[in-house]
Amino acid sequence: MSLFWRIFLLNAAVLFAATALLLLGPVTISAPVLLTEALIMALGLAAMLVANAALLRIGLSPLQRLTRAMTTTDLLRPGRRPAVSGHGEIAELIMTFNTMLDRLEAERAASSGRALSAQEAERRRIAQELHDEIGQTLTAVLLELKRVADRAPAPLRAELHHVQETTRGSLDEIRRIARRLRPGVLEELGLISALKALTNEITTHSRLSVRCGFDSELPPLGEDVELVLYRVAQEGLTNIVRHADAHRVELALRRTPSGVELLLRDDGKGIGTATEGAGILGMRERALLIGAEVSVERGPEPGGGTDVRLRVPISAVLDTTDEDETDTTGTTDTADAADTADRLDRADRFNGDGDNRP
């Protein structure tokens, strides 16, 4: 039955009941109208309006739920759908809205995937150019400066050594940028080693103390899943350094009954009522690529803090065709991360490679 006929029949039922009461009831209308008759008519009209409003409220309540769903729908939090209720056109409208959300979420996930794939390709290209062009040029400059400094007189040699250190610092900074753009450790040593190197870099360039905990029985993860986990951890740590004013951070990667969970917990000032910025929105975009979900909540710390959780469902935990399993060690601390990153840095200095080859 269409919405028009439902509303029409509801109003007709109220008017029919009122007419029947007037015809069959003992109430009469005299001329002029008496006060008691006017009161009875007013009460009858009020009862009619109340009954009509109640019936319309019941009939149109599915539309109100649909309106609330429309105003609260967020494509970065997929899967939320209003329940299909009502009859006729109302139920059809809710089903059409749900179908539209399915299509929009699929199209957004596809477009986000293309955009992020292009972004990763651009990151690799820029990192490669930094390594091949600027990195090699600065390495040649360092060698030339060393040759000139060895032949220069003592007063000039000190100044040349200072220029050497400045150039070496610039080369190290370029290598660090290249590593952030293209996580070579992730590609060559696996997710756990990449997360250790990441936390070591964060502690080296900030005052944060990072404690890591990785389950020893993580399932094999696909390349896309590993990349999303790494990028979310990288973005989360960067946000903590920039905005949280924290001193301690816990980074954990655990196996759960429903899949895998990445946890970032800090003791900072918390997100409070601030709106989500580009960093958190970027995390949600990446999570959508593998069907995962990012939640940002107040931490258990008495003074505040923030918990960022990335929950990867079991359906997204893919078995790779590569026979090598992800490197999983037991619960570790920052000292393990420092050992891994120091080994990689020594290899970088030995062969001039910015890709973290051991």
Side-chain angles (χ1 to χ4, degrees):
M1 184 182 298
S2 67
L3 183 62
F4 167 78
W5 284 109
R6 286 176 61 82
I7 294 177
F8 174 78
L9 291 177
L10 287 174
N11 288 324
V14 173
L15 293 175
F16 179 80
T19 303
L21 288 175
L22 286 176
L23 291 176
L24 302 177
V27 179
T28 58
I29 304 297
S30 57
V33 180
L34 299 177
L35 179 60
T36 56
E37 295 173 345
L39 290 175
I40 292 174
M41 292 299 295
L43 290 175
L45 177 62
M48 237 179 10
L49 292 175
V50 170
N52 191 36
L55 292 174
L56 287 177
R57 171 77 62 162
I58 295 173
L60 298 179
S61 59
L63 287 180
Q64 294 177 337
R65 289 195 294 271
L66 179 61
T67 301
R68 287 195 297 269
M70 288 180 174
T71 57
T72 57
T73 295
D74 185 356
L75 294 181
L76 292 178
R77 296 176 175 85
R80 301 179 182 179
R81 301 287 185 271
V84 178
S85 57
H87 303 279
E89 292 176 346
I90 296 179
E92 184 179 353
L93 178 62
I94 297 176
M95 288 188 292
T96 303
F97 177 71
N98 289 343
T99 303
M100 181 190 69
L101 285 183
D102 293 337
R103 187 179 69 253
L104 288 176
E105 288 177 359
E107 291 176 354
R108 171 136 192 181
S111 61
S112 297
R114 290 192 296 269
L116 291 175
S117 297
Q119 185 183 81
E120 288 297 329
E122 187 68 9
R123 283 172 178 258
R124 291 190 185 94
R125 185 187 67 81
I126 294 174
Q128 192 67 35
E129 289 186 0
L130 285 174
H131 170 262
D132 292 343
E133 301 295 334
I134 301 178
Q136 298 297 341
T137 301
L138 287 179
T139 301
V141 170
L142 274 176
L143 294 175
E144 187 66 20
L145 284 173
K146 183 179 184 304
R147 186 183 67 83
V148 173
D150 291 341
R151 299 179 180 180
L156 185 58
R157 190 178 304 163
E159 295 182 11
L160 288 173
H161 284 319
H162 177 71
V163 175
Q164 271 185 289
E165 292 304 317
T166 302
T167 306
R168 183 175 289 110
S170 299
L171 181 58
D172 290 340
E173 181 67 17
I174 288 173
R175 286 174 176 167
R176 187 180 70 85
I177 294 172
R179 285 196 296 267
R180 290 179 65 85
L181 287 173
R182 176 173 171 263
V185 188
L186 178 63
E187 297 174 0
E188 298 171 9
L189 299 181
L191 179 61
I192 302 300
S193 296
L195 290 177
K196 291 177 184 178
L198 176 63
T199 55
N200 178 70
E201 181 182 346
I202 291 294
T203 54
T204 301
H205 294 88
S206 69
R207 57 188 180 88
L208 281 178
S209 172
V210 183
R211 177 176 176 79
C212 301
F214 306 122
D215 273 2
S216 58
E217 297 182 355
L218 289 174
L221 304 174
E223 291 182 1
D224 292 342
V225 176
E226 286 192 346
L227 182 60
V228 169
L229 287 167
Y230 178 84
R231 289 300 188 194
V232 169
Q234 184 183 49
E235 184 63 42
L237 288 171
T238 302
N239 283 345
I240 292 172
V241 172
R242 291 178 178 175
H243 309 296
D245 194 22
H247 301 282
R248 297 185 306 276
V249 179
E250 177 187 352
L251 173 63
L253 184 61
R254 307 187 182 102
R255 184 169 190 167
T256 63
S258 58
V260 173
E261 180 182 84
L262 176 74
L263 169 66
L264 271 172
R265 173 175 292 165
D266 66 74
D267 63 346
K269 59 185 179 182
I271 192 171
T273 58
T275 57
E276 294 185 354
I280 296 178
L281 295 180
M283 294 182 197
R284 298 192 187 281
E285 292 276 2
R286 290 186 179 277
L288 286 179
L289 298 180
I290 56 174
E293 180 184 3
V294 172
S295 64
V296 181
E297 304 167 348
R298 181 181 177 86
E301 297 287 340
T306 304
D307 280 7
V308 177
R309 297 178 187 270
L310 173 64
R311 298 180 178 90
V312 183
I314 195 67
S315 58
V317 179
L318 305 176
D319 270 326
T320 61
T321 55
D322 189 359
E323 296 297 330
D324 296 329
E325 293 186 353
T326 304
D327 174 23
T328 55
T329 61
T331 301
T332 64
D333 56 18
T334 310
D336 295 327
D339 179 70
T340 300
D342 287 343
R343 178 169 57 85
L344 295 171
D345 285 341
R346 288 196 299 270
D348 276 351
R349 292 182 180 275
F350 177 75
N351 57 25
D353 185 19
D355 292 341
N356 293 327
R357 301 184 188 274

